């Protein structure tokens, strides 16, 4: 229902990646009136915009979403574009009300409801689900701007393939999975150095055999053992370790001729300096240094002093009706992955109070008053 430029719905979902879509699927099953607002041009763009050679670590058989298995050979590891197309097909098949090209710039409480805004657009709702993903604000060390201005700098979120890079040595900063995978990609065409502190390595690599025999166990552990409901899960979540290297190991990179140096601690004379004092000469630097959450557009009492959401399995007690989905370790190690998202969405859907039909008052129709209904946004 739209009145005076405001659309009234039971629930606004912010973000139409896998988390927002699966949440939408749950709400559709409850016959709620909802809308999914997404900043991307096309459903799946968050995946499409990742680097060209990216293949998943999770086999296809584990990447299906409620009501739709992932298509094709279940033991292969799909490309990022296949995931993007799968999500687009998911939204289409279930007729999910995704509004693309809508970047939400505000959520606030007003008269006991939530008001969500995007430019001149406005929604009022009883519930808001924030499903904006873990890749919001690329994080780069402050000393990056002291690098020589000739050095081309990219964050991993901007890297697509080696053709973006000028000739000459490339420094990859960060030894997580993104750093290792991008280093492998770049090493084929450029002299490459990777800097960082090597973390753990997964016990097995993604292969057809491990997809059959080992990944079911890993999935079980990620969903049911390493959770906030178990001592081991709480210990892991208290100090989230860097994810182990899954496909590309440091020894593989060394085999490809990649130099490995300790973490970069600063810049001197325009060059990056590693912890052992090595000055790294590079024509380009790719920062594989992760992301930070950015929720400054949400004006609700839902955050701690570091700006992190305060929630219990995605439910925000201080702002009833506000929910988070897709956060790292929302409930389990697998929470922010394709195999883990459905359970968390189901949990949130069960926690939502029953939908209440929004009744238009006479005043509302003339814009003098807001519609009656039960909203608890403040
Ligand atoms: P996203 O996919 O990031 O979607 C969030 C959506 O919200 C985007 O469409 C964005 O446009 C939108 N949005 C953001 N802010 C706003 C706003 N203010 N207003 C409106 N819309 C907004 N998981 C696996 O299961 N298997 C894998 O192998 C795997 N590999 C990965 C490899 C990489 C390099 C990365 C980064 C992640 C990988 N993941 C993998 C993890 C996870 O599945 C993805 O990060 C996934 O994209 C998260 O889905 P999401 O819906 O939570 O967030």
């Amino acid at each position: 229902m739209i009145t005076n430029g405001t659309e009234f719905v039971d629930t606004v979902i912010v973000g139409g990646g896998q988390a927002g879509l699966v949440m939408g699927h749950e709400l559709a099953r409850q016959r709620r009136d909802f809308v999914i607002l997404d900043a991307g041009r096309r459903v799946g763009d968050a995946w499409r915009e990742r680097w060209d050679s990216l293949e998943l670590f999770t086999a296809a058989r584990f990447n299906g979403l409620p009501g739709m298995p992932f298509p094709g050979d279940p033991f292969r590891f799909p490309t990022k574009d296949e995931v993007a197309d799968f999500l687009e097909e998911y939204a289409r098949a279930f007729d999910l009300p995704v509004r693309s090209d809508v970047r939400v710039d505000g959520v606030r409480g007003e008269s006991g409801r939530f008001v969500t805004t995007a430019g001149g657009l406005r929604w009022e709702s009883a519930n808001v689900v924030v499903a904006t993903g873990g890749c919001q604000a690329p994080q780069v060390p402050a000393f990056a701007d002291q690098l020589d201005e000739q050095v081309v700098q990219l964050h991993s979120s901007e890297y697509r393939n080696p053709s973006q890079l000028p000739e000459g040595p490339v420094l990859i900063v960060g030894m997580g999975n993104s750093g290792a995978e991008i280093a492998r990609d770049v090493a084929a065409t450029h002299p490459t150095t990777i800097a960082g502190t090597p973390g753990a390595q997964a016990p097995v690599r993604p292969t057809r055999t491990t997809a059959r025999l080992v990944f079911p166990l890993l999935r079980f552990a990620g969903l049911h053992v390493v959770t906030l409901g178990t001592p081991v899960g709480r210990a892991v979540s208290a100090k989230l370790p860097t994810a182990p290297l899954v496909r590309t190991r440091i020894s593989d990179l060394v085999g490809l001729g990649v130099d490995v140096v300790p973490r970069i601690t600063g810049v001197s004379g325009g060059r990056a300096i590693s912890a052992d004092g090595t000055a790294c000469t590079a024509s380009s630097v790719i920062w594989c240094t992760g992301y930070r959450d950015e929720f400054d557009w949400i004006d609700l009492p839902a955050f701690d002093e570091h700006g992190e959401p305060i929630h219990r399995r995605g439910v925000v007690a201080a702002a009833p009706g506000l929910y988070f989905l897709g956060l790292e370790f929302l409930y389990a190690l697998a929470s922010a992955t394709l195999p883990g998202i459905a359970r968390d969405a189901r949990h949130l859907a069960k926690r939502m109070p029953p939908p209440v039909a929004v009744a238009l008052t006479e005043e509302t129709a003339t814009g003098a008053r807001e519609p009656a209904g039960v909203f608890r946004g403040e």
Side-chain angles (χ1 to χ4, degrees), residues 89-359:
E89 174 57 17
Y90 192 79
R92 196 200 57 71
F94 293 106
D95 203 14
L96 297 174
V98 181
R99 311 272 169 81
S100 295
D101 246 332
V102 176
R103 178 168 290 280
V104 169
D105 53 28
V107 176
R108 63 178 193 276
E110 205 174 279
S111 309
R113 304 176 194 158
F114 293 106
V115 173
T116 300
T117 54
L121 305 172
R122 193 174 188 276
W123 292 262
E124 286 195 20
S125 61
N127 308 298
V128 169
V129 181
V130 179
T132 46
C135 302
Q136 293 165 34
Q139 190 163 258
V140 169
F143 53 70
D145 59 11
Q146 296 165 30
L147 282 175
D148 190 301
E149 58 186 27
Q150 302 287 317
V151 175
V152 171
Q153 297 189 47
L154 298 176
H155 184 265
S156 59
S157 57
E158 299 164 300
Y159 173 76
R160 300 288 173 273
N161 58 56
S163 73
Q164 287 169 287
L165 308 173
E167 275 184 21
V170 181
L171 172 64
I172 313 278
V173 183
M175 229 179 248
N177 281 296
S178 298
E181 298 288 311
I182 291 177
R184 190 188 55 180
D185 213 25
V186 168
T189 50
H190 291 69
T192 304
T193 299
I194 187 167
T197 311
Q201 299 190 144
V204 293
R205 299 194 199 233
T207 64
R208 291 184 68 78
T209 308
T210 56
R212 273 176 201 276
L213 302 177
V214 184
F215 274 67
L217 298 174
L218 295 177
R219 176 180 175 276
F220 183 83
L223 272 174
H224 303 291
V225 180
V226 191
T227 75
L228 293 178
T230 65
V232 65
R234 286 191 290 275
V236 171
S237 84
K239 195 177 180 314
L240 259 187
T242 313
L245 294 182
V246 179
R247 183 176 281 118
T248 301
R249 298 176 175 185
I250 298 305
S251 55
D252 301 331
L253 296 176
V254 171
L256 292 169
V258 174
D259 281 337
V260 180
V261 298
R263 63 198 301 269
I264 300 298
T265 51
V267 171
S268 175
R271 290 192 295 172
I273 306 294
S274 70
D276 65 355
T278 307
C280 303
T281 302
S283 307
S284 46
V285 172
I286 306 177
W287 298 102
C288 299
T289 38
Y291 298 83
R292 61 186 159 70
D293 290 338
E294 202 167 65
F295 294 120
D296 51 3
W297 45 278
I298 304 177
D299 185 13
L300 290 162
F303 303 95
D304 66 15
E305 68 275 22
H306 307 293
E308 295 300 325
I310 304 169
H311 65 93
R312 198 182 170 87
R313 269 190 98 165
V315 179
V316 180
L322 180 67
Y323 305 88
F324 286 88
L325 182 62
L327 296 180
E328 201 68 45
F329 223 116
L330 186 94
Y331 175 64
L333 192 57
S335 274
T337 65
L338 285 155
I341 199 65
R343 181 183 56 184
D344 288 348
R346 258 193 317 272
H347 177 80
L348 296 189
K350 279 190 197 147
R351 292 297 171 286
M352 282 185 183
V356 177
V358 177

Side-chain angles (χ1 to χ4, degrees), residues 64-80:
L65 296 176
M68 190 182 285
F70 202 92
D73 175 359
F75 298 110
R76 78 190 199 292
F77 295 87
T79 66
K80 49 110 188 178

